[in-house]
Amino acid sequence: MTKYVIRGKRQLQGEITISGAKNAAVAIIPAAILVKGVCRIENVPKISDVTKMLEILKEMGAEVRLVNSSCVEIDCTHIRTQTAPQDMARSIRASYYLAGALLGRFHHAKVPPPGGCYFGVRPVDQHFKGFNALGATTDIQNGYMLVDAPNGIRGANIYLDVVSVGATINIMLAATLADGLTVIENVAKEPHIVDVANFLNSMGARISGAGTDVIKVRGVKELAGGTYTIIPDQIEAGTYMVATAATGGEVLIKNVIPKHLECITAKLIEMGVTVEERDDAVLVRRAVPLRKTNVKTMPYPGFPTDMQPQAVVLLCYAQGTSLVTESVWDNRYRYVDELKRMGANIQVDGKVAVIEGIGDLTGAPVKACDLRAGAAMVVAGLAASGVTEVEDISHIERGYEDLVEKLKSVGADITRVEVPDGTALRRAQ
Ligand code: EPZ
């Protein structure tokens, strides 16, 4: 077992450079299936979800070459199967993008339903609704999603009933090589959706409207190779902004797009944190006690659900009672029991959490229930008194590149410790 051991109450000071966006990378890599030729992708984050996605493509016959630690070349010209390897693909959520990309290029896909973080039912009905409108049949059988369009993919008008990041990207992928125009309405507008559209356009696609409520995809005959640079990770940046605020430090967070962070910046300012925007950086400083506030998660440009656990931790360190409403996922408060082990005073009722700010948390052994919950435990430990041990860190390493090194570089006392099986400090105490 591997865990993080954190000695808290060190103010973070210095500079952190943000890596490429996980949720863009895990869509752009499978999107390369649509391209005949070499896609050179830069600013790729070094995280386990990306490694798995590259392994899946290799297994399916793609040529994958790591140019350096943040650049990869992918050539899917001679991909030899439309079936994604079950064990590998079901361990990551984003494997659903293989369905849209394979459907677009080969009119057939056999892909396991998505895995990844668990926070309630994670349906794919909107993905299927889009595929059906484009002329495909969809089914789930023997642990696979089966998508087939023997007569080809034809452009269509699609109205999403739910604003879904995954469905928006998946339908965009399937429609890129379709015959005719596809109009997708009520789409998600997250920065990584715009990034996937920009990637496809740079390879020859004709997609407009990404970042608005309506995306139009004019089908093209084929895509050719090229070079593309992934945007910085909004949520990684937000996590370090919150960590800086929690510890009362001052950190320049570099390689970001400040516009993408506004939804997070606004809440931090309400809480008494200073955030100065630079061209491609934000300087975060907290010199006064944190104030309570209310947070409601919403699709972009609202406050991101993927920052909700980190925000709850920060509110534990604020003065007064705050309300957090989770309006994207049904069950994203499982980590609250872990925070209570550190002394947090939080009541959860359905989608609402009531957080009584107590000014301080105390170190304890805690688990990373999922990726962002794990990051929140790290933030809690950095600001808490005493020692916090975070277990199940494989969740965190799915989405944060070099977390320990980045935090150490700004003065955190955090180590990654291998514990021989059977000797783990567990929670009998
Ligand atoms: C993406 O998941 C992200 N994952 C998630 O980030 C993020 O929490 C989520 O978007 C919301 O921003 C990736 O990009 C790989 P959705 P996705 O489809 O696409 C409902 C992280 O920590 N829905 O936007 O799976 C669904 O139940 C991860 O990096 C349907 O009803 O999310 C949810 O309530 C965790 N039918 C809402 O829509 C569907 O067919 C939003 O889900 C699809 C979704």
Side-chain angles (χ1 to χ4, degrees):
M1 189 188 75
T2 315
K3 63 185 177 183
Y4 295 150
V5 178
I6 305 166
R7 289 181 172 74
K9 285 253 176 287
R10 306 315 196 253
Q11 289 184 335
L12 302 187
Q13 302 279 350
E15 297 181 357
I16 290 181
T17 302
I18 296 305
S19 303
K22 161 188 167 277
N23 287 343
V26 296
I28 286 173
I29 293 168
I33 289 175
L34 291 163
V35 181
K36 284 188 184 153
V38 178
C39 300
R40 185 183 171 101
I41 309 170
E42 297 175 342
N43 204 29
V44 178
K46 202 173 55 190
I47 52 176
S48 63
D49 266 14
V50 160
T51 310
K52 282 184 191 164
M53 192 56 98
L54 291 172
E55 287 299 322
I56 290 170
L57 286 193
K58 259 202 251 181
E59 187 74 16
M60 294 172 69
E63 284 176 37
V64 175
R65 190 172 84 85
L66 292 179
V67 179
N68 58 48
S69 66
S70 64
C71 177
V72 64
E73 286 182 352
I74 305 173
D75 185 349
C76 293
T77 312
H78 301 298
I79 226 160
R80 61 172 174 265
T81 173
Q82 289 91 54
T83 301
Q86 192 166 41
D87 286 347
M88 292 163 94
R90 74 174 175 200
S91 67
I92 51 175
R93 176 76 188 155
S95 54
Y96 51 30
Y97 293 134
L98 295 164
L102 289 167
L103 176 64
R105 168 120 177 249
F106 300 104
H107 304 163
H108 170 73
K110 188 173 170 188
V111 176
C117 294
Y118 180 78
F119 21 75
V121 182
R122 298 188 70 169
V124 288
D125 57 298
Q126 297 302 305
H127 303 234
F128 280 7
K129 177 179 176 177
F131 295 160
N132 294 153
L134 294 170
T137 59
T138 48
D139 201 357
I140 298 192
Q141 269 180 27
N142 305 324
Y144 282 101
M145 302 192 292
L146 303 175
V147 189
D148 263 303
N151 298 322
I153 301 290
R154 288 179 313 279
N157 286 355
I158 300 154
Y159 185 92
L160 294 181
D161 304 315
V162 180
V163 177
S164 158
V165 169
T168 301
I169 293 179
N170 233 345
I171 298 167
M172 212 160 71
L173 295 177
T176 292
L177 301 178
D179 192 5
L181 174 68
T182 298
V183 180
I184 323 166
E185 293 185 66
N186 196 29
V187 295
K189 296 180 277 202
E190 270 66 6
H192 40 286
I193 287 172
V194 181
D195 211 35
V196 177
N198 287 343
F199 163 79
L200 292 168
N201 284 343
S202 73
M203 305 285 149
R206 292 179 65 198
I207 301 173
S208 59
T212 74
D213 292 318
V214 183
I215 292 180
K216 292 185 180 166
V217 185
R218 264 172 218 288
V220 296
K221 288 271 178 264
E222 64 176 36
L223 301 184
T227 298
Y228 190 76
T229 303
I230 291 177
I231 52 166
D233 195 303
Q234 175 204 32
I235 305 299
E236 188 199 13
T239 302
Y240 291 123
M241 291 169 81
V242 168
T244 305
T247 63
E250 177 170 328
V251 176
L252 183 68
I253 298 170
K254 301 196 305 186
N255 185 35
V256 299
I257 299 175
K259 176 88 189 148
H260 294 168
L261 300 175
E262 278 172 1
C263 39
I264 301 162
T265 300
K267 279 293 150 194
L268 290 178
I269 291 173
E270 273 176 40
M271 294 182 71
V273 180
T274 305
V275 183
E276 286 174 22
E277 289 185 5
R278 310 272 163 86
D279 284 349
D280 61 354
V282 286
L283 179 69
V284 180
R285 183 188 320 118
R286 202 262 286 172
V288 296
L290 290 166
R291 293 191 291 267
K292 66 176 182 166
T293 190
N294 296 334
V295 175
K296 183 170 185 179
T297 66
M298 302 281 279
Y300 189 82
F303 189 87
T305 173
D306 293 343
M307 284 298 300
Q308 180 258 97
Q310 302 90 313
V312 166
V313 166
L314 193 58
L315 293 169
C316 290
Y317 286 103
Q319 296 173 335
T321 306
S322 305
L323 286 186
V324 171
T325 308
E326 171 55 56
S327 64
V328 177
W329 295 110
D330 288 339
N331 184 10
R332 207 172 186 172
Y333 288 121
R334 289 190 309 145
Y335 66 88
V336 163
D337 284 343
E338 300 298 308
L339 271 185
K340 285 184 178 171
R341 298 170 59 79
M342 299 178 72
N345 185 349
I346 304 171
Q347 303 303 320
V348 176
D349 185 3
K351 294 196 158 195
V352 178
V354 182
I355 300 123
E356 206 64 60
I358 55 169
D360 199 10
L361 296 176
T362 49
V366 290
K367 274 200 299 194
C369 306
D370 59 58
L371 166 60
R372 307 304 173 186
M377 293 304 134
V378 171
V379 173
L382 291 171
S385 25
V387 179
T388 299
E389 298 187 357
V390 184
E391 296 176 358
D392 293 350
I393 59 171
S394 58
H395 287 298
I396 302 174
E397 295 179 352
R398 285 184 39 222
Y400 288 86
E401 174 176 329
D402 294 340
L403 176 108
V404 168
E405 291 73 18
K406 288 186 186 187
L407 284 172
K408 275 185 170 169
S409 76
V410 289
D413 186 339
I414 175 169
T415 41
R416 189 176 190 278
V417 179
E418 298 282 345
V419 186
D421 282 351
T423 61
L425 265 184
R426 279 304 307 176
R427 48 192 63 193
Q429 57 273 58

